[in-house]
Amino acid sequence: MNIGNILLYISLLSSCLAAVYMFTGRIKTSIQLLRTAAFSATFAVLFLAFAFIFLDFSLFYVWQHSSAELPVFYRLAAILVGQEGTYLIWAWLSLIVVLLYTELHGIHDRTAMITNVYALIVCAFLLVMTITMTPFRSIFAVGGASMPTLGNSISPELIDILMPLHIFTTFIAYAFTIIPAAMSLAYLTKRKNMPDSKNYLRIAWLFLSICIIAGGIWANRLLGWNGFWQWDPIQALSMCTWLLLTAALHAVVRLNVGEYKRLFPLLCIGTFLGSLYMTLLARSDVFGSIHSFPGTPTWWMIVIFIAIVIVFSLILALRRDKTEYTTSSSIHIFKPSNTFYFTILILIMMAFIAFWGPTVYLILGYMGRAIIIPMEFYNILFYPLVVVLSYLTGICMLYGRVKSRTLAYVGIIYFTISIIFAVALPYGTHSVAASYTGSSFEKILGSISVTSYIPAFFFVTGSVIFKMVRDLKVNNKTAFIHLNGINFIHVGFVFIVLGAILSTSFATSHHFSYSLSEKGDYKEDGGIVLRFLDYKVEKIGSDWYQTVDVEILDDKEYKVTPVFLKSRQFGYITRPAVRRGLLSDTRVEFQGALPHQIELETIEINVKKQPFASLMWIGCVLLIAGVLLTLSSDVIRRKGWILSYLKFVMSKPVSDIVPFKTKECKILTLSIPVAVIIGTVIAIFVYEMLGYLYAFYVILGGAVILSVITYLLKFRKP
C-alpha cells in the first residue's frame, strides 16, 4: 500500500469518526477530525499531482493518462480525465467545502450539528467510491507488468484550456450542492431553524453555469459535435440539475414568508442527487460520447445511496407538520406568490423533461433496446415552457413598479404578438421542429415558429431596463448591487435563449469542393465566398495532421485554418476553425482527405454561419456577472465572513474571530507566500538530486511545519 492509499484511508477514517463525534456532541474533536480528513485528502491529491507532473509510471492511472509529450499543465489537467481522478477530486473538494462551511458558520445548535453529520456521511461515501476505484493502484498489480518508459497520454481533443475548466467547475458545483442538501435533511429532521443555504446554492449554480458554458464553447470549436448543444444525455442531466438549482433559488425567496417548507428542502436534495445521477449515467457504459466512461464497480453503490436518500427524504418530508402558509390562491394573479409559484412549477416541469430523456435511454439500453433520443424531443417540449417562463420573468421585473392594469395590458399585447408569430408564418419556416415525426401533439408544438420568442425577448429586456432605471434611486449600496445582480441574471437568461434560437434555427451551411490545382481560386455558395490558399500534411510524433488555409469573404475578409488529425491511438479528430463576430459566428470545418481523395486531389470544406450567436455569449457574461454581484452584495452585508475566513485550519470555536490587524495575521499574510516559493524551489532541487518521492516529502513536511506555526500563533497571548 503506497502513501496515496494510506492518505485516503486516513481521510475516510477521520470523516467517519468526525460524523460520530459530531452526532454525540463532541464538537471540537469532530472539527479536528474533519480538518485531518481534509488535509489527508489534500495531500493525496498533491501526491497524485506530483506523480502526473513527474511521470511516475509506477502508478497505473498516471501511465494511463500522462505522457512526456504533454506540457506540464496538461499533465496536471489529465488527473481529471479518468474515473479514478474525478472521484478523488470530487471527494477532496467536498471535504474542503464541508470544512469551509464548519469554520465559517460554527456549530451553534442541534440543526447545525445534524447538518455536519449528513455532510460528513456524503464525504465518507465519496471517499469509499474513490478507494474502490483505486487511483493509486500500482502498475505492477497487472500480471507480468514492468515499469513502462512511455505514458499512454490523453486524446488530442482534450488538450484545451476549456477541458480542466469544464470538468473542475463541474465538481466544484457538485461539492457545493452537498451543504444545501445536508441543511435540508437536518431541517426536515428537526423541523425548525432552516439554515441559510442561499449562498451555497448560488455558488453551486454559478459553477454549474460556468461548466455548461465552457462545455458548450469547447464542443462548438473542438469536439466536432456540430454545435454547442446536442442534448447529449449528460448535457440533459446537467440542464436538469441546473434547473432544479434555479427553482431552489426562487423557492428560497418565498421561504421566509412561510411557503415551500417541504418543496424547498426537496429541491435542494434533488440538486445533490442530480450530481450523483449524472455520475451514474456517465459510467453506465450504455451510450457512447465524450462523456461516457467504461462500466464501473461503483455503480451499485451510487444506486443504493440515491435510493436511500430519496426514501429517507420523502419519509421526513411527508411527516405531519403545520400547514404551509401560502398566498398562491390570491385573487391578484401578478402577485409574487403567484408568479413565483408558476415559475417554480415550470422549472420543475423542464427539469423533469431533461431527466426523463436520459433515463429512458438508460433503461432501454440495459434492456438491449438501444434508441436515440433526438434533439427535437427536448426542443419541442422545452420551447413553449421557455416562452411562458420568459413572460413570467418580465412580469416579476415590472410588478410593483407600474400599475397592475398597465402591466396586464402590456403583457397581453406582447403575448398576442407572440401567438401571431407562432401560427401566422408558413408551416416549416423556422419552426421548432417541423420534420419531427412524433404524436399529433408533438407535431403541433414542432410547427410553432421560433420567431414567436422575439416579442418575449423585448418584453423582458424592456422590463429589466425599466427596473434598472428605477433601481438607480436606491441609496443603499448593498441593495443596489444585489438588485443589479438580479437584473443581469434575468436579462442574461433571455439573451442566451434568443441567441441559441437565432444561431441554430437561422444557421446556414455552405459546402465547397476544391482540387489541389485550384489554389487561389474563389468560389461562392449562398452569399459566402471562399478562397482556397493552401493544403498541408505533416507528421508530428506519431500523429498525422492535415491543415487547410482558406480565406473567407463575408461581411469582412479573414483567414482561418481548420485541422483534421489522424491519431495513432485516438482515431480521427476534427478541429473546426471558429471565428466569432458581432453579427454572426463562422465555423469552418475540414473533414479531412482520405488517401483515395488525396490521389484524386479533392478537398471538401464546410462553412456554417450562426447568426447572432454573440447574443448567447453576451447573455452568458451577464448571467455570470449577475450571480457574482448577488454574492458580493451578501459578502459586503456580512463583513464578518472575510474575518471568519482567517479561522480556516484554526482550532478555537469559529465565533472567536481573529482581527486582521493583529501582528500574527500580518506575519502569516506576508510569510505564507514566501514560504511556498522557498519550499517549491527546495523541492525542485531535491527532485533533481534524490527523486520525486523525496520532493513530495519536502512539500509534505513544509505544509506540516506551516500548519504548526499557524496553530501556535493562534494561541500566542497578546
Side-chain angles (χ1 to χ4, degrees):
M1 182 179 291
N2 60 28
I3 296 174
N5 287 322
I6 292 172
L7 289 169
L8 286 180
Y9 279 108
I10 291 173
S11 185
L12 175 60
L13 180 62
S14 301
S15 298
C16 294
L17 289 174
V20 172
Y21 277 110
M22 182 65 70
F23 186 74
T24 56
R26 299 176 67 178
I27 296 172
K28 188 173 181 179
T29 304
S30 176
I31 293 176
Q32 293 287 13
L33 287 166
L34 173 56
R35 291 169 181 162
T36 302
F39 280 122
S40 298
T42 301
F43 290 134
V45 172
L46 288 174
F47 184 85
L48 188 62
F50 267 70
F52 267 86
I53 292 172
F54 298 117
L55 303 174
D56 180 10
F57 294 140
S58 66
L59 296 181
F60 183 83
Y61 186 63
V62 175
W63 168 82
Q64 191 178 17
H65 297 294
S66 190
S67 169
E69 297 177 355
L70 288 174
V72 173
F73 175 78
Y74 288 107
R75 291 185 208 171
L76 190 61
I79 295 174
L80 299 166
V81 172
Q83 296 190 63
E84 298 91 334
T86 52
Y87 274 132
L88 176 60
I89 296 298
W90 189 4
W92 167 61
L93 288 172
S94 300
L95 281 167
I96 295 297
V97 169
V98 173
L99 179 59
L100 182 65
Y101 163 76
T102 305
E103 298 287 356
L104 288 177
H105 299 280
I107 308 297
H108 304 296
D109 54 29
R110 188 67 182 171
T111 303
M113 291 172 60
I114 297 175
T115 297
N116 271 64
V117 171
Y118 286 135
L120 286 165
I121 289 172
V122 173
C123 292
F125 170 70
L126 295 175
L127 284 166
V128 169
M129 291 202 299
T130 304
I131 292 171
T132 303
M133 291 304 300
T134 60
F136 298 101
R137 179 163 61 108
S138 172
I139 200 166
F140 301 111
V142 180
S146 58
M147 178 71 81
T149 56
L150 296 174
N152 191 52
S153 192
I154 59 175
S155 174
E157 64 187 358
L158 299 176
I159 301 177
D160 187 275
I161 187 64
L162 292 173
M163 182 269 284
L165 177 65
H166 172 64
I167 301 174
F168 195 65
T169 53
T170 302
F171 288 102
I172 294 176
Y174 287 2
F176 272 97
T177 61
I178 292 173
I179 300 301
M183 287 179 174
S184 298
L185 284 170
Y187 167 71
L188 291 175
T189 303
K190 297 295 292 181
R191 290 301 175 105
K192 62 180 180 179
N193 301 328
M194 176 64 190
D196 185 7
S197 60
K198 193 186 293 120
N199 282 330
Y200 291 94
L201 289 169
R202 286 170 177 166
I203 294 172
W205 190 86
L206 168 66
F207 280 104
L208 189 57
S209 299
I210 295 173
C211 155
I212 294 172
I213 294 167
I217 297 172
W218 181 23
N220 193 44
R221 79 182 191 191
L222 282 178
L223 300 181
W225 276 17
N226 195 33
F228 48 84
W229 194 264
Q230 296 295 311
W231 284 112
D232 173 87
I234 297 300
Q235 284 183 322
L237 281 179
S238 64
M239 179 59 68
C240 170
T241 306
W242 187 87
L243 289 166
L244 288 177
L245 276 168
T246 308
L249 284 168
H250 284 79
V252 74
V253 176
R254 304 298 302 171
L255 190 68
N256 293 331
V257 297
E259 297 180 3
Y260 310 123
K261 293 291 186 180
R262 288 189 178 94
L263 179 62
F264 171 69
L266 290 176
L267 286 172
C268 293
I269 296 167
T271 59
F272 166 67
L273 292 177
S275 66
L276 286 178
Y277 192 48
M278 273 192 278
T279 304
L280 174 64
L281 194 69
R283 288 154 175 79
S284 63
D285 202 23
V286 169
F287 64 95
S289 80
I290 194 66
H291 291 121
S292 181
F293 290 97
T296 172
T298 60
W299 69 269
W300 63 272
M301 299 180 187
I302 301 175
V303 171
I304 292 175
F305 194 78
I306 289 175
I308 291 172
V309 174
I310 290 175
V311 172
F312 186 60
S313 303
L314 290 177
I315 290 173
L316 292 177
L318 295 176
R319 288 187 307 164
R320 289 198 174 193
D321 195 9
K322 293 179 181 179
T323 305
E324 292 187 9
Y325 171 77
T326 177
T327 57
S328 60
S329 60
S330 174
I331 196 169
H332 203 300
I333 194 172
F334 292 148
K335 275 197 170 183
S337 55
N338 290 321
T339 53
F340 270 79
Y341 172 81
F342 288 113
T343 296
I344 294 168
L345 178 63
I346 290 172
L347 288 169
I348 293 174
M349 291 171 63
M350 293 168 66
F352 178 78
I353 294 168
F355 160 81
W356 182 246
T359 302
V360 170
Y361 194 114
L362 182 66
I363 294 171
L364 294 180
Y366 276 117
M367 293 174 62
R369 298 172 55 192
I371 63 170
I372 297 176
I373 307 294
M375 292 178 59
E376 290 80 5
F377 166 80
Y378 299 99
N379 293 339
I380 287 172
L381 297 179
F382 258 67
Y383 183 77
L385 295 175
V386 169
V387 174
V388 175
L389 187 63
S390 299
Y391 276 106
L392 283 171
T393 301
I395 290 169
C396 288
M397 295 293 102
L398 288 179
Y399 181 78
R401 293 167 180 84
V402 298
K403 294 180 179 180
S404 297
R405 181 173 294 181
T406 303
L407 177 56
Y409 286 153
V410 172
I412 290 171
I413 291 171
Y414 274 96
F415 192 72
T416 303
I417 297 173
S418 286
I419 294 174
I420 293 172
F421 279 14
V423 300
L425 294 179
Y427 179 79
T429 304
H430 304 303
S431 59
V432 176
S435 60
Y436 187 64
T437 56
S439 64
S440 299
F441 176 71
E442 290 173 324
K443 288 180 180 179
I444 293 172
L445 292 180
S447 65
I448 296 174
S449 173
V450 294
T451 57
S452 57
Y453 189 77
I454 296 175
F457 169 80
F458 283 110
F459 176 66
V460 177
T461 306
S463 301
V464 171
I465 292 173
F466 183 85
K467 181 178 178 293
M468 290 178 72
V469 173
R470 287 294 187 92
D471 291 342
L472 292 174
K473 299 177 181 179
V474 176
N475 294 324
N476 187 297
K477 181 176 68 174
T478 304
F480 180 77
I481 294 173
H482 177 80
L483 290 171
N484 277 287
I486 299 298
N487 295 334
F488 283 2
I489 290 171
H490 289 92
V491 77
F493 159 66
V494 293
F495 266 76
I496 291 173
V497 174
L498 184 65
I501 288 173
L502 296 180
S503 62
T504 53
S505 298
F506 292 83
T508 57
S509 297
H510 310 272
H511 180 76
F512 298 88
S513 180
Y514 279 94
S515 66
L516 295 179
S517 61
E518 292 180 312
K519 288 184 180 180
D521 289 358
Y522 290 92
K523 291 189 178 182
E524 189 270 340
D525 181 79
I528 303 294
V529 178
L530 189 74
R531 183 187 180 196
F532 174 39
L533 298 178
D534 196 13
Y535 169 72
K536 291 177 288 188
V537 180
E538 56 184 338
K539 186 178 182 181
I540 301 177
S542 60
D543 301 332
W544 288 91
Y545 286 78
Q546 298 181 31
T547 58
V548 174
D549 296 328
V550 296
E551 183 180 71
I552 298 177
L553 282 74
D554 192 7
D555 51 338
K556 291 182 180 179
E557 182 179 324
Y558 48 91
K559 297 178 182 178
V560 294
T561 304
V563 177
F564 179 77
L565 166 63
K566 182 181 182 296
S567 172
R568 177 179 59 84
Q569 291 175 273
F570 304 102
Y572 296 104
I573 297 169
T574 302
R575 290 181 177 171
V578 180
R579 182 185 181 275
R580 307 201 185 281
L582 184 61
L583 297 179
S584 67
D585 285 3
T586 304
R587 191 170 183 270
V588 183
E589 186 173 323
F590 172 50
Q591 295 287 356
L594 299 176
H596 72 278
Q597 292 174 314
I598 295 176
E599 290 178 3
L600 297 173
E601 300 185 337
T602 303
I603 302 296
E604 307 290 338
I605 301 170
N606 294 317
V607 179
K608 186 174 183 179
K609 296 286 291 184
Q610 298 172 310
F612 298 105
S614 58
L615 292 176
M616 188 167 49
W617 311 127
I618 292 170
C620 292
V621 173
L622 290 171
L623 204 72
I624 300 303
V627 72
L628 288 175
L629 285 174
T630 57
L631 282 168
S632 62
S633 68
D634 203 67
V635 170
I636 293 171
R637 185 166 56 87
R638 304 181 186 186
K639 295 179 181 178
W641 274 40
I642 300 172
L643 296 177
S644 296
Y645 183 74
L646 297 174
K647 296 297 298 173
F648 195 66
V649 307
M650 304 294 183
S651 62
K652 276 193 173 181
V654 182
S655 57
D656 298 332
I657 298 171
V658 179
F660 185 74
K661 293 182 179 180
T662 62
K663 185 178 180 180
E664 291 79 5
C665 289
K666 290 182 178 179
I667 292 172
L668 286 176
T669 304
L670 294 174
S671 63
I672 288 176
V674 175
V676 170
I677 293 171
I678 294 174
T680 303
V681 173
I682 294 173
I684 291 172
F685 279 110
V686 171
Y687 165 73
E688 292 177 348
M689 291 184 293
L690 300 176
Y692 137 79
L693 191 59
Y694 289 96
F696 178 77
Y697 288 151
V698 169
I699 297 295
L700 183 62
V704 171
I705 292 170
L706 199 60
S707 299
V708 171
I709 293 173
T710 303
Y711 184 86
L712 293 175
L713 283 174
K714 166 62 187 167
F715 290 100
R716 181 171 177 264
K717 292 183 179 181

